[in-house]
Amino acid sequence: MHKKINVARPSMPPMEEYFDKIKTLWDSAWLTNGGIIHNEFEDLLKIYLRVDNISLLTNGHMALELLIQAMDLSGEIITTPFTFASTTHAIVRNGIKPVFCDINPETFTIDVDKIESLITEKTTAILAVHLYGNICDVEKIDIIAKKYNLKVIYDAAHSFGTSLSGTAVGNFGDASIFSFHSTKVFTSIEGGAVSYKDINIGENLYKLKNFGIKSQFSVEGVGANAKMNEFQAAMGVCNLKYIDQEISKRKRIVERYIKHLSKIEGIKLMKLKEGVITNYSYFPVVFDERILGFDRELVCNSLEKENIFARRYFYPLISDFECYREQFDSSLTPITQDISKKVLTLPLYADLELEDVDRVCDIILNC
């Protein structure tokens, strides 16, 4: 049996570097609540992401859920069902109705030409997702938002370190959220962040992630506990030193996949929006059974027989989840529904050997 190849594997810094970083915690005994390493990580992220304001949280989901509260949104939020569960859950857990928009068949991001038809008097925001390291059509979303006086949030969980025409991804819309989960290009074990423009968002986030506490003698509202601890921050600081190197390694792997698969009729690869510098976070492949004569399931099963594990990402659609299917009709987003049944993300991580990429592609082509 060949060695096991998972769809993702976290990148970690040299063990000694991490141990050196956390060693000081035994002296300070300051493990959370905005410690020295937390603040260092925040400052380094502002520089790397080229943003003016950033707030760290315990994970990407809480970053989004509390951001929606910090922006005082209500009513309806237009978003996409082609994303991880967290995006929709964060909306629903705030008592807001998600309104699902279809996706662009080439870029897999929200179809900006279908947003306006979904806007009602209850709409307060657009929550778009930068997917697989691709960036949404932010220019058109900005025009729509200004026309209807809507707020714009970007779920940038897949897009750490990406840019569009020289503008870093965290600068679009009113705010963006990032996830530093272990499966992401950049990780702090768990962790998340919000980049934002309005300083009031940051002040609200601080209170919301800290039980509503403003100061020692003032609790202004009902908050949660979503603070990033020093061990997470230390992993983030250490990993940030290697992020450009990690992205470069991933690029090499993606280019190898493209070389093998880009000219096969019936295999569709994601098209990057023009001007995007990606982070190569995922490699989605859409298999058209009508042309190929075989479907995604055969590919997935053939890979698993060789101890290689790809992922049906995203399937099922959020609108088909047991907790949502009675409320939504997936046929209203037909492109999303179609792609979700055909897409497979192939193994991709910095230390994946090119020979293993070749093996994955050979198995696919032998189908």
Side-chain angles (χ1 to χ4, degrees):
M1 176 66 74
H2 288 289
K3 67 180 179 182
K4 184 176 183 180
I5 299 176
N6 286 320
V7 69
R9 192 170 78 183
S11 294
M12 299 175 71
M15 187 167 55
E16 297 77 14
E17 285 189 24
Y18 183 65
F19 288 172
D20 284 343
K21 195 68 189 174
I22 63 174
K23 201 180 297 180
T24 59
L25 299 178
W26 271 260
D27 297 323
S28 68
W30 192 341
L31 304 184
T32 186
N33 280 15
I36 293 171
I37 304 177
H38 169 282
N39 295 339
E40 178 188 3
F41 186 30
E42 220 171 50
D43 290 339
L44 289 171
L45 281 176
K46 280 195 281 189
I47 294 169
Y48 185 81
L49 293 173
R50 290 180 277 153
V51 296
D52 294 328
N53 305 300
I54 202 158
S55 179
L56 298 178
L57 293 98
T58 190
N59 56 57
H61 175 81
M62 291 308 294
L64 182 54
E65 187 169 314
L66 296 185
L67 173 61
I68 291 170
Q69 292 179 37
M71 294 176 67
D72 196 27
L73 300 177
S74 60
E76 298 176 353
I77 293 179
I78 295 172
T79 188
T80 167
F82 197 59
T83 180
F84 186 58
S86 171
T87 311
T88 301
H89 288 350
I91 295 172
V92 173
R93 284 171 57 84
N94 276 296
I96 300 172
K97 179 183 177 182
V99 176
F100 290 130
C101 182
D102 215 346
I103 59 172
N104 181 295
E106 304 298 323
T107 65
F108 305 158
T109 57
I110 194 167
D111 189 338
V112 292
D113 294 327
K114 296 177 180 175
I115 291 176
E116 281 195 85
S117 65
L118 301 173
I119 296 173
T120 71
E121 69 281 355
K122 295 180 180 179
T123 307
T124 56
I126 300 167
L127 200 176
V129 182
H130 301 310
L131 205 66
Y132 303 136
N134 209 353
I135 292 180
C136 300
D137 192 337
V138 294
E139 300 94 343
K140 288 188 179 178
I141 291 173
D142 185 58
I143 291 170
I144 294 168
K146 287 177 178 174
K147 180 178 177 181
Y148 293 94
N149 194 30
L150 302 176
K151 297 294 184 183
V152 177
I153 295 174
Y154 287 106
D155 182 336
H158 285 191
S159 300
F160 184 91
T162 62
S163 64
L164 173 64
S165 302
T167 301
V169 72
N171 292 288
F172 300 117
D174 294 282
S176 299
I177 70 100
F178 297 90
S179 169
F180 307 147
H181 185 267
S182 60
T183 58
K184 300 297 188 288
V185 172
F186 173 76
T187 177
S188 62
I189 308 171
E190 279 272 8
V194 178
S195 62
Y196 54 92
K197 292 175 181 174
D198 184 350
I199 201 70
N200 290 320
I201 292 177
E203 292 174 358
N204 290 340
L205 276 172
Y206 175 78
K207 289 180 285 188
L208 286 166
K209 71 179 181 180
N210 191 32
F211 304 102
I213 297 171
K214 182 179 181 181
S215 66
Q216 185 177 355
F217 304 106
S218 175
V219 181
E220 293 190 339
V222 178
N225 181 13
K227 303 180 296 295
M228 178 180 283
N229 65 58
E230 291 289 88
F231 290 91
Q232 289 176 298
M235 181 62 78
V237 169
C238 292
N239 267 334
L240 198 56
K241 291 168 57 178
Y242 300 96
I243 183 61
D244 290 335
Q245 180 180 324
E246 294 295 300
I247 291 174
S248 179
K249 289 179 180 178
R250 299 173 79 97
K251 178 182 180 182
R252 208 162 124 261
I253 293 161
V254 166
E255 287 174 344
R256 190 69 154 238
Y257 273 131
I258 291 172
K259 179 182 176 182
H260 284 298
L261 301 176
S262 63
K263 295 180 181 179
I264 307 300
E265 188 177 3
I267 290 180
K268 179 178 182 178
L269 307 182
M270 178 183 69
K271 181 180 178 182
L272 287 175
K273 176 177 166 55
E274 187 176 353
V276 169
I277 302 297
T278 185
N279 61 358
Y280 306 96
S281 58
Y282 296 90
F283 192 75
V285 180
V286 174
F287 295 94
D288 191 333
E289 182 183 6
R290 294 168 299 177
I291 298 173
L292 292 167
F294 61 87
D295 63 5
R296 171 185 69 184
E297 299 310 309
L298 178 63
V299 174
C300 206
N301 293 333
S302 298
L303 291 170
E304 285 187 13
K305 287 177 183 177
E306 298 298 323
N307 220 21
I308 299 169
F309 297 90
R311 185 177 178 188
R312 302 164 182 84
Y313 198 50
F314 299 96
Y315 178 85
L317 288 182
I318 290 176
S319 46
D320 287 330
F321 287 179
E322 292 90 339
C323 56
Y324 293 131
R325 64 169 63 134
E326 298 301 320
Q327 306 168 50
F328 302 103
D329 181 358
S330 292
S331 67
L332 298 177
T333 54
I335 294 171
T336 310
Q337 187 180 49
D338 181 61
I339 289 177
S340 76
K341 294 176 180 178
K342 299 175 180 176
V343 70
L344 196 66
T345 54
L346 301 182
L348 175 56
Y349 46 88
D351 294 329
L352 184 65
E353 299 290 341
L354 292 180
E355 291 78 9
D356 289 325
V357 175
D358 296 339
R359 191 158 67 89
V360 169
C361 293
D362 285 345
I363 293 168
I364 292 171
L365 297 177
N366 284 333
C367 286

